[in-house]
Each structure stands twice: as structure tokens, then as C-alpha cells.
Amino acid sequence: MKKLLIIIIIISSGFGLKQLYLSKTANNTQLYGAKNQPINLLDETDPRIRIVYFGFTRCPDVCPTSLAMLSGALNQIDKTTLSQFRPVFITLDPERDDAKHAAEYAHYFHQAIEGSSGSLQTITQLAERYGVVFRKSELPESELKYTIDHSSYFYFLKPDGTLLTKVPHTMTPEPIVKAINELSQL
């Protein structure tokens, strides 16, 4: 019984330390959006659920398809439901995508989607927090010089950054609409 109690205390302590780490690292996640204005992704005074997508503006297929599906989903929900959500595009290529460019790109798909950029360190920290896999791949024969290989999910987050659910890359808006409708009932 004593060993079981010790194990429970150790596991609980580990969970507490992880939450402390996540809360401290959340404060160092400064992003910038339109007009280079700071975006506080993890602003607990803003009650909206975040729909976060990590990608990059020179992505040839996955990102434009994903953002088009997000746009399609946003166009299928009513304004009251839409007001409960904050869609945010975060570039994985801050070397080429400054805040202005990321915001313009996101707005091309839907005016409600905030485009953002930041330091590579900040973006990497956020990506790691949610299990986003990405890496820079050199393209020596291309004028682009490199691309970003990355996973493709929509992350639904509480205002404090807690992951509620994630929706994988999709070719239709329906899975995103379903997640929005389920979460808008909370």
C-alpha cells in the first residue's frame, strides 16, 4: 500500500511539474500578426476556443487545402457560433514568412483567420507543445532553396492553451464543422 501511495505521489508530482512547465513556457510564446501587432494566443481573458493550424505560405498543396477546408467550415457555421472561435494560422517558416505576409496569406482564405509569425524559437516551442512535427528540407535545384515538411492538423485549444481535440488534414470541411459544433456546446 505504501509503494502504491509513493507511485501516485510521484506521478502526481510529475503531472504538476509538467503543468508548471507548460504555464511558464506559455508566457514566452509571443507571436505577431497583421500590422506586426502582438498576438497573445494564450490570452485567458479571451474566452474563444482557438483553432490553430501550423503551416507555411509557400506550401504547394497541404496548407492551401487545409486553410480552404477551414474557410469552408467557418462559412458553414452561424455568426454566433463563429464568435466562439478564434482561428489562427502560425507559420513554420518565419525566415520567409514575416507577420504581415502570414496575415495576408491567412486572410486570403477567410477574414476571421489570423495569420501570425514569430521567432523560430517561439514557433518551435509552440509546435513541440502540441506535437507538431516539422523540419526544413533543402531543395538545391529549386529557386525556393528549401521547403518545410510538416504534419497537418487543426488544434482546438482552450484559452490557456490546453488541447481540447485535434482534427487531421481533411479534403472536406465536415470534420472541422463537426468539431466546432461539438465544442460550441461546452
Side-chain angles (χ1 to χ4, degrees):
M1 181 69 172
K2 202 172 195 180
K3 287 181 182 180
L4 179 62
L5 184 59
I6 291 172
I7 291 171
I8 291 171
I9 291 171
I10 290 171
I11 290 171
S12 298
S13 297
F15 180 76
L17 290 173
K18 179 181 178 187
Q19 293 305 314
L20 178 63
Y21 168 77
L22 291 175
S23 70
K24 295 298 181 196
T25 58
N27 295 330
N28 300 323
T29 55
Q30 187 61 61
L31 298 170
Y32 298 89
K35 299 181 184 173
N36 211 33
Q37 293 296 310
I39 289 180
N40 188 354
L41 182 66
L42 308 179
D43 175 7
E44 293 186 57
T45 64
D46 179 351
R48 295 177 294 169
I49 293 171
R50 282 59 165 158
I51 306 172
V52 178
Y53 184 79
F54 292 85
F56 67 111
T57 67
R58 287 170 180 80
C59 183
D61 46 25
V62 174
C63 296
T65 302
S66 293
L67 291 175
M69 293 308 104
L70 177 57
S71 175
L74 298 175
N75 288 331
Q76 290 182 34
I77 60 175
D78 62 72
K79 288 183 180 183
T80 303
T81 303
L82 179 59
S83 70
Q84 297 175 45
F85 293 86
R86 182 181 177 194
V88 181
F89 167 76
I90 300 174
T91 185
L92 294 169
D93 187 12
E95 185 177 331
R96 294 187 291 204
D97 297 339
D98 63 17
K100 179 183 176 195
H101 189 80
E104 287 172 354
Y105 181 75
H107 287 152
Y108 172 78
F109 293 94
H110 196 283
Q111 286 299 307
I113 304 173
E114 297 176 58
S116 63
S117 188
S119 71
L120 182 58
Q121 178 182 1
T122 296
I123 291 165
T124 299
Q125 184 179 16
L126 281 168
E128 287 175 354
R129 180 175 182 164
Y130 299 108
V132 178
V133 177
F134 75 103
R135 71 181 176 92
K136 187 177 183 178
S137 294
E138 300 299 324
L139 299 173
E141 303 298 318
S142 169
E143 287 191 30
L144 288 175
K145 304 293 181 210
Y146 67 89
T147 190
I148 306 293
D149 299 322
H150 63 93
S151 54
S152 181
Y153 288 89
F154 299 93
Y155 299 87
F156 289 77
L157 312 176
K158 288 183 179 181
D160 68 359
T162 302
L163 179 67
L164 293 165
T165 191
K166 66 183 184 178
V167 174
H169 178 77
T170 177
M171 298 303 286
T172 68
E174 281 73 28
I176 303 167
V177 171
K178 182 180 178 201
I180 288 171
N181 287 332
E182 287 173 0
L183 293 171
S184 68
Q185 305 303 313
L186 297 179

